[in-house]
Amino acid sequence: MNSTPTVTRQRTGHCLCGAIRYSFDAEPEAVVLCHCGECQRHTGSAFSVNVLIPRATLEITGTPATYQTTGTENGHLRDRLFCPTCGTPIFTILHERPTLIIVKAGTLDDTSGLTPVAEVWWRRSQDWLDPHPTRPRYDGDAT
């Protein structure tokens, strides 16, 4: 009998304290690095590693808090969801793409197989970052 391993698209993750847990069963639409000022502030880092998935596939346990921002340069609304207990940024909802949700890659239990395909808001990137030799970069949103 020839047994082929089952490949699952199921991924799980959680915040730092575990009060918010989630899972989804979908291939990401994309993995994108965002260098915008709002993402830098939200993550406390040089950029955000964003995993874009169909919103309907996400199951959440716990109730994240939400803070809404407006893009400084593009004017787009963002709902930034985070754990109200430990403050971990977990998701971002793009109002212009309501069928998607962004999962912050650092909250995933396993990030294997997730490779960024583009970088957005490169003009806001930290000056000590060197561009990736083959990954597309956009000065603003990837439209």
Side-chain angles (χ1 to χ4, degrees):
M1 179 181 220
N2 194 359
S3 176
T4 305
T6 303
V7 177
T8 181
R9 304 174 310 170
Q10 179 80 25
R11 291 193 187 257
T12 59
H14 58 87
C15 65
L16 191 60
C17 72
I20 308 291
R21 296 186 175 276
Y22 65 87
S23 65
F24 61 91
D25 187 4
E27 287 298 322
E29 180 177 301
V31 178
V32 177
L33 304 182
C34 183
H35 299 273
C36 80
E38 285 84 8
C39 278
Q40 289 183 38
R41 284 194 193 285
H42 189 228
T43 62
S45 185
F47 52 83
S48 179
V49 183
N50 297 322
V51 181
L52 286 73
I53 64 164
R55 194 169 172 180
T57 66
L58 183 66
E59 294 183 22
I60 302 172
T61 303
T63 305
T66 302
Y67 184 76
Q68 191 171 81
T69 61
T70 302
T72 304
E73 294 183 71
N74 66 12
H76 292 198
L77 291 176
R78 304 281 184 260
D79 292 338
R80 298 181 182 277
L81 286 70
F82 59 96
C83 176
T85 303
C86 66
T88 302
I90 309 170
F91 311 110
T92 300
I93 297 171
L94 310 172
H95 281 236
E96 73 275 18
R97 299 196 61 196
T99 62
L100 291 179
I101 191 163
I102 292 172
V103 174
K104 301 301 181 182
T107 66
L108 286 163
D109 294 327
D110 179 5
T111 58
S112 61
L114 296 177
T115 303
V117 296
E119 299 187 45
V120 296
W121 293 98
W122 180 255
R123 74 173 181 253
R124 298 289 178 232
S125 66
Q126 300 294 314
D127 61 4
W128 48 264
L129 281 173
D130 292 326
H132 188 276
T134 60
R135 188 168 34 240
R137 292 180 305 283
Y138 301 90
D139 280 338
D141 289 322
T143 52

